[in-house]
Amino acid sequence: MLKLPDSRAAFPDSFSPARLSGAIGISRVICILGVVYVHAWTGLDGGQLAQADASAQGIFRWVLMELLGRSAVPLLGMISGWLVAGTAWSRPYGTFMRGKARTILLPMLLWNMLAMLIISGGGALGLLASPVPQSVWDGFNQLFSLLTPNETNVQMAFLRDLFICMALAPLLVRMRSRWLWAIMALASAWAISGWINPLLLRPSILIFFVAGILARRQRFEVRAAGMPMAHAALLFGVCAFAKVLVSALAAPLGAAHPQMMAALDLVLRFSAALMFWRIAWWLAGSSKGAALLKIEPYAFLIFCSHLILIWLAGPAIGLLTGPLGSPAYPAFLLLQPALAAAVGVVIGKALMAASPPAAEILSGGRLKAGQGKTPVQGRWITSGIGFGRGQAANSS
């Protein structure tokens, strides 16, 4: 009979489930706050932004966007794979997918509808300089992210591809590790090639999702947590320096060889996932992580709502700070994740007070009356981006 590594096996006694649960919660928060930099308000259109990219503020924005923004996404995908490796074994497929439709697909559709209503509606009324669907098909495509990401709520393509990965998860967790490595290799070749196929808008999400499954099998989260911080920082620093060097000094080369840049991005993002995990593990073992853990139940809602908030509040705050290139703009840029988190928490609290069922739906089940939401207790890994519903950290 085929025997597979059991991802549900108990953790070593020396590896605290409470700290693991805290590290997962903290990882979600710091990664989602990093994603805000990718979508940060600049006040410039595409042509103006391209001209400003070579300025000091443009380079500063690029560093935040690439090294703290886009590099944060892989760890979210790995956490999703890690979590599902412990839950997809035992549930009937229909039950499993109904749960994922409720906690991933439904919130994605509702937030996309809100984004289209608020942002595209504002554009249609001339209140916002935002994209407006040009046809019924365009609007349908924007809502479901069938062929392209939603133009007004672009981060939701992550949930779209994650849902597809979840649909494959019961099969993936039963595969031998060598087949998972082969899938990662094929997905990497797909991502590097630049081949566009609507099956996955971002094949890198599958890469890191599968990597999370493999990490659980090999207990890599334990080994990575035990790595000296300096080693993780050095590895990330070397990869980041290579990315900055190639991008800054060899831009024409990057344009001529996008496959080389894509391969470098993958290496950088693996090193970033390791670095962010190591930081989260350190924070989970100290009092410094307590504030982030208080935000964790709202992390999914912050992820879904932040771009709508940027579209609405960015221009208003920009009247005070000015756009990219203005003296006060760097301070606004740095604060945008904190502002998105603060407003997201307020929205979550308001929803819980006004309509707990609405709060539960829009948060993907993360905000729920009576639900345990404190990862440091070590009993439950709360659901969120990692985006598998919580499971006892030490379950077997």
Side-chain angles (χ1 to χ4, degrees):
M1 179 179 291
L2 180 65
K3 183 174 178 59
L4 297 170
D6 191 346
S7 302
R8 304 164 295 171
F11 290 93
D13 292 339
S14 60
F15 191 66
S16 165
R19 190 168 179 180
L20 168 67
S21 198
I24 288 177
I26 291 170
S27 294
R28 292 185 182 120
V29 174
I30 60 177
C31 289
I32 287 168
L33 295 184
V35 168
V36 176
Y37 283 126
V38 180
H39 310 128
W41 182 85
T42 64
L44 304 180
D45 61 29
Q48 293 171 327
L49 195 57
Q51 293 179 355
D53 280 345
S55 67
Q57 289 192 19
I59 293 171
F60 179 55
R61 170 183 168 272
W62 181 90
V63 169
L64 291 176
M65 181 175 65
E66 290 292 332
L67 303 187
L68 296 180
R70 291 194 173 96
S71 294
V73 176
L75 182 55
L76 298 177
M78 290 184 73
I79 291 173
S80 297
W82 188 94
L83 287 171
V84 82
T87 61
W89 288 83
S90 56
R91 296 182 188 176
Y93 188 75
T95 302
F96 176 80
M97 288 308 300
R98 281 193 295 273
K100 299 310 174 188
R102 185 177 65 253
T103 59
I104 297 176
L105 185 61
L106 178 59
M108 183 196 84
L109 295 177
L110 292 176
W111 281 107
N112 277 350
M113 289 175 65
L114 284 171
M116 293 174 68
L117 177 65
I118 296 170
I119 302 173
S120 298
L125 295 174
L127 302 175
L128 294 173
S130 57
V132 178
Q134 299 301 305
S135 66
V136 173
W137 162 249
D138 191 23
F140 188 78
N141 180 50
Q142 294 292 306
L143 177 61
F144 289 92
S145 296
L146 292 177
L147 302 179
T148 59
N150 185 312
E151 291 181 338
T152 57
N153 215 25
V154 293
Q155 83 282 4
M156 302 305 279
F158 175 87
L159 294 186
R160 181 261 200 203
D161 283 356
L162 181 62
F163 182 74
I164 293 174
C165 290
M166 288 295 182
L168 299 173
L171 173 63
L172 294 173
V173 299
R174 288 170 170 80
M175 287 184 172
R176 289 186 179 274
S177 293
R178 64 171 176 263
W179 287 107
L180 296 182
W181 283 109
I183 290 172
M184 281 184 61
L186 289 173
S188 297
W190 180 0
I192 291 170
S193 72
W195 179 48
I196 298 175
N197 188 293
L199 177 61
L200 288 172
L201 298 178
R202 296 170 183 168
S204 60
I205 293 173
L206 176 61
I207 298 171
F208 294 104
F209 184 82
V210 173
I213 297 174
L214 287 168
R216 185 156 188 162
R217 288 187 182 181
Q218 302 301 321
R219 293 292 184 261
F220 187 74
E221 71 279 3
V222 181
R223 288 182 281 173
M227 175 183 289
M229 181 76 78
H231 293 180
L234 178 61
L235 178 60
F236 177 66
V238 169
C239 294
F241 177 77
K243 169 74 173 181
V244 171
L245 184 66
V246 171
S247 299
L249 302 182
L253 179 64
H257 296 280
Q259 289 78 19
M260 180 192 70
M261 294 299 293
L264 182 58
D265 277 342
L266 273 182
V267 175
L268 171 64
R269 292 176 187 187
F270 270 108
S271 70
L274 174 62
M275 180 62 188
F276 285 133
W277 174 250
R278 188 60 188 82
I279 291 172
W281 182 259
W282 170 68
L283 289 170
S286 71
S287 60
K288 298 178 178 64
L292 294 175
L293 287 172
K294 291 179 181 179
I295 299 173
E296 190 274 340
Y298 304 92
F300 183 94
L301 194 147
I302 294 168
F303 176 83
C304 293
S305 67
H306 76 268
L307 198 51
I308 297 175
L309 299 175
I310 288 172
W311 273 102
L312 294 177
I317 299 175
L319 292 175
L320 301 175
T321 64
L324 178 70
S326 302
Y329 177 78
F332 179 34
L333 175 61
L334 284 172
L335 287 174
Q336 287 189 48
L339 294 173
V343 176
V345 170
V346 169
I347 292 173
K349 289 182 177 295
L351 284 170
M352 285 293 290
S355 175
E360 181 178 354
I361 292 172
L362 290 173
S363 68
R366 282 76 183 174
L367 294 177
K368 188 175 181 179
Q371 176 178 306
K373 298 192 282 284
T374 309
V376 290
Q377 293 173 345
R379 183 163 178 79
W380 292 98
I381 299 175
T382 58
S383 53
I385 300 187
F387 298 154
R389 180 164 283 269
Q391 181 192 27
N394 59 348
S395 65
S396 59

